[in-house]
Amino acid sequence: MNDYEVVVLGGGPGGYVAAIRAAKLGKKVALIEARELGGTCLNRGCIPSKTLLRHAEVIETIEKAKQWGIETGEMTFSLSKMLDRKDAVIQQLRNGISYLLKQGKIDVYQGIGNLEENGKIAVQLAEKKEIIRGEKIILATGSRPLVPAIDGIEEAAYFTSDTIFDIEKIPESMVIIGGGIIGVELACIFASLNVPVSIVEMSDRIVPSEEPEASKALAKALKKKQITILTSTKVVRVEQRDGSQLIHVESDNGKAQILDTEAILMAVGRAPNTSSFDGLNLQMDGPFVKTDSAMQTSNPSIYAVGDVTGGWQLAHVASAEGVVAAANAAGQTETVDYRMVPRCVYTSPEIASVGLTEADAKRQGIDYKVVRVDHAGNGRALAQDEKEGFTKLIAGTKYGEILGVLMVGPHVTEMIAEPSAFIHLEGTVDELASMIHAHPTITESLYEAAASWIGKGVHH
């Protein structure tokens, strides 16, 4: 039996990062992964979706360019070539992770690990079972797509976010059940391929995790892409008839209708993978593993990170938690600061936010002031013909400390790093307004918001 100081279950963005950090802290480390290195994010989530969203962006730009006097011939799509490029990107990044693990002298077990008592882990490899032992264990087993109990779903042919990127042909039509981040991003991809897409969302708006004005702006943009959005609506039944799939939906006001579609995509959420440690009786928070600020579970030798904890289901949060868990497993003392977690939606337009929302500030009893700057007067946004977005800044009235920022527009998922840094450093609107921002850029809207907040705005 091989003994390790740290064993990580799961090779996704939380797990492989934790393994590398523990190894760099001088620990003997093993990593167990049942499928491909990189986990859901790399292989079935973040990377394939963003690769295909880039394709969607180019397609939309080509169409829009006709209005600028740039004419092309008839545009054609090769789904197989698009998917081949997606696979190539995934493989390159997967190879990179493998190289990093090898550099760190981390033993990788390609198999299913089951955690037993006293740090023992039974690993089912391809041809044999092996028992290893870890002084400290880090659970990074992730999550899987949730499929709700809808009448008739057992007989339906549907995709999930795990299977959609292996689709073999462009469907004639698609209904996406769930209007959260996954649902709206995939809606943009297939709408760019001229697929009639409908989104069915139980909440009263799409991307309900974001502020209402972001949802409103995105809904307006999606409707321009001919995407049908049904909010406050639930799916009650799925029926197979004459080669079609009929989705029976009902709105909160009792209105019923039937959506006829070829493809169904389930995007209603994710459930944690806990089967590898079910027998340990760890303290749970509903279906999720309960952890403290050090990512430690009710068993002091076991830590948990990422989706399995029920917190932010974001790859960068899992990585941050993995770094903290590894440090604590190695004898250090670290915690995760969730104040500056950037939240990104890679649609067109993009949505990016960080820090507190207005609802958060009200709930916490904070006196605050809000300034919103629309991009309609921003030179770069006008030049790019992408002027529908805005920047919203929330700051506390006592010190002017920046509490939160919401941005909607082109490439704001890159720009959110600046306000994230300000929040991390407890920066103020005065400090932001004193910075020189390059012109013309969309980030000038951050300066305008800060300057306007202190009554010194020029263009706002």
Side-chain angles (χ1 to χ4, degrees):
M1 181 171 65
N2 289 327
D3 286 346
Y4 296 91
E5 292 171 286
V6 177
V7 175
V8 182
L9 267 73
Y16 85 78
V17 167
I20 292 171
R21 175 54 62 93
K24 288 191 173 183
L25 291 172
K27 300 301 177 182
K28 183 181 179 183
V29 182
L31 174 69
I32 303 168
E33 172 54 53
R35 298 180 68 176
E36 309 91 349
L37 289 173
T40 295
C41 173
L42 171 54
N43 298 285
R44 298 171 295 281
C46 317
I47 300 304
S49 65
K50 277 54 182 180
T51 303
L52 295 179
L53 279 165
R54 172 59 176 157
H55 298 169
E57 180 185 8
V58 171
I59 291 169
E60 291 182 4
T61 300
I62 291 171
E63 287 292 341
K64 188 182 288 187
K66 295 176 182 177
Q67 303 169 23
W68 309 336
I70 302 173
E71 301 287 344
T72 64
E74 181 182 357
M75 186 169 21
T76 60
F77 309 124
S78 172
L79 181 63
S80 62
K81 289 183 179 180
M82 291 181 183
L83 296 180
D84 285 346
R85 178 174 179 270
K86 177 262 298 181
D87 290 340
V89 171
I90 291 171
Q91 190 59 55
Q92 182 174 346
L93 291 171
R94 197 186 292 160
N95 291 343
I97 295 172
S98 181
Y99 173 79
L100 292 172
L101 294 172
K102 187 177 296 184
Q103 286 289 102
K105 296 181 171 56
I106 297 164
D107 290 343
V108 177
Y109 292 83
Q110 193 75 46
I112 299 173
N114 284 290
L115 191 54
E116 301 174 352
E117 296 290 345
N118 302 316
K120 290 184 179 180
I121 305 168
V123 186
Q124 183 61 59
L125 303 172
E127 298 178 353
K128 63 177 181 177
K129 179 180 285 189
E130 189 165 339
I131 305 295
I132 65 175
R133 182 182 175 278
E135 293 177 19
K136 303 289 185 180
I137 310 293
I138 299 176
L139 305 176
T141 49
S143 62
R144 63 189 183 280
L146 182 66
V147 178
I150 299 171
D151 183 23
I153 196 64
E154 296 85 0
E155 292 78 36
Y158 62 85
F159 294 95
T160 68
S161 56
D162 272 9
T163 61
I164 188 63
F165 298 113
D166 293 321
I167 193 169
E168 294 181 350
K169 71 179 186 69
I170 299 174
E172 294 294 324
S173 56
M174 175 177 285
V175 170
I176 299 176
I177 302 175
I181 294 173
I182 296 173
V184 294
E185 288 185 353
L186 287 164
C188 285
I189 291 172
F190 283 96
S192 74
L193 301 175
N194 296 328
V195 176
V197 177
S198 297
I199 299 173
V200 181
E201 169 57 45
M202 290 183 66
S203 178
D204 62 354
R205 56 191 175 90
I206 56 173
V207 284
S209 59
E210 281 301 335
E211 294 201 65
E213 56 260 65
S215 299
K216 182 178 179 180
L218 181 58
K220 182 179 179 181
L222 296 188
K223 289 174 183 176
K224 286 184 178 179
K225 303 177 196 294
Q226 307 304 312
I227 296 172
T228 301
I229 301 174
L230 302 176
T231 53
S232 301
T233 303
K234 63 180 179 181
V235 177
V236 294
R237 184 160 61 94
V238 178
E239 178 186 0
Q240 309 299 308
R241 186 190 301 173
D242 299 330
S244 293
Q245 302 196 94
L246 305 180
I247 301 180
H248 298 253
V249 301
E250 185 177 300
S251 64
D252 286 352
N253 62 14
K255 180 183 178 182
Q257 59 179 304
I258 300 174
L259 307 177
D260 188 339
T261 186
E262 177 182 348
I264 300 173
L265 171 62
M266 287 291 179
V268 297
R270 300 184 67 84
N273 295 322
T274 59
S275 60
S276 61
F277 52 88
D278 275 344
L280 291 187
N281 296 317
L282 296 176
Q283 189 174 351
M284 306 294 284
D285 183 6
F288 302 99
V289 180
K290 188 172 184 178
T291 60
D292 62 15
S293 59
M295 308 315 300
Q296 195 171 48
T297 70
S298 55
N299 184 325
S301 297
I302 301 176
Y303 299 80
V305 303
D307 288 4
V308 76
T309 68
W312 296 98
Q313 291 192 329
L314 299 169
H316 46 281
V317 173
S319 294
E321 292 173 344
V323 167
V324 167
N328 293 325
Q332 299 184 356
T333 303
E334 291 189 15
T335 59
V336 181
D337 187 347
Y338 294 102
R339 292 179 308 143
M340 71 290 298
V341 173
R343 307 176 294 273
C344 300
V345 186
Y346 296 83
T347 46
S348 177
E350 294 181 348
I351 300 173
S353 59
V354 66
L356 300 183
T357 65
E358 280 198 74
D360 293 331
K362 289 177 181 176
R363 188 165 48 249
Q364 296 179 26
I366 299 172
D367 289 328
Y368 67 92
K369 176 182 171 183
V370 173
V371 169
R372 170 173 159 159
V373 175
D374 290 331
H375 294 169
N378 180 279
R380 183 66 183 275
L382 288 168
Q384 293 185 189
D385 198 8
E386 295 178 293
K387 59 184 183 298
E388 291 79 13
F390 64 86
T391 295
K392 174 181 173 180
L393 183 148
I394 305 169
T397 54
K398 187 173 183 179
Y399 302 111
E401 182 180 347
I402 297 171
L403 303 174
V405 169
L406 167 66
M407 305 180 78
V408 176
H411 311 300
V412 295
T413 54
E414 300 286 345
M415 298 180 222
I416 202 65
E418 181 181 349
S420 297
F422 267 88
I423 293 173
H424 178 62
L425 298 171
E426 299 181 348
T428 66
V429 283
D430 292 272
E431 291 169 325
L432 178 53
S434 70
M435 287 182 58
I436 298 174
H437 286 71
H439 173 79
T441 60
I442 307 294
T443 53
E444 287 180 279
S445 63
L446 276 170
Y447 162 79
E448 292 287 352
S452 180
W453 197 97
I454 61 177
K456 296 182 180 179
V458 175
H459 302 97
H460 186 269

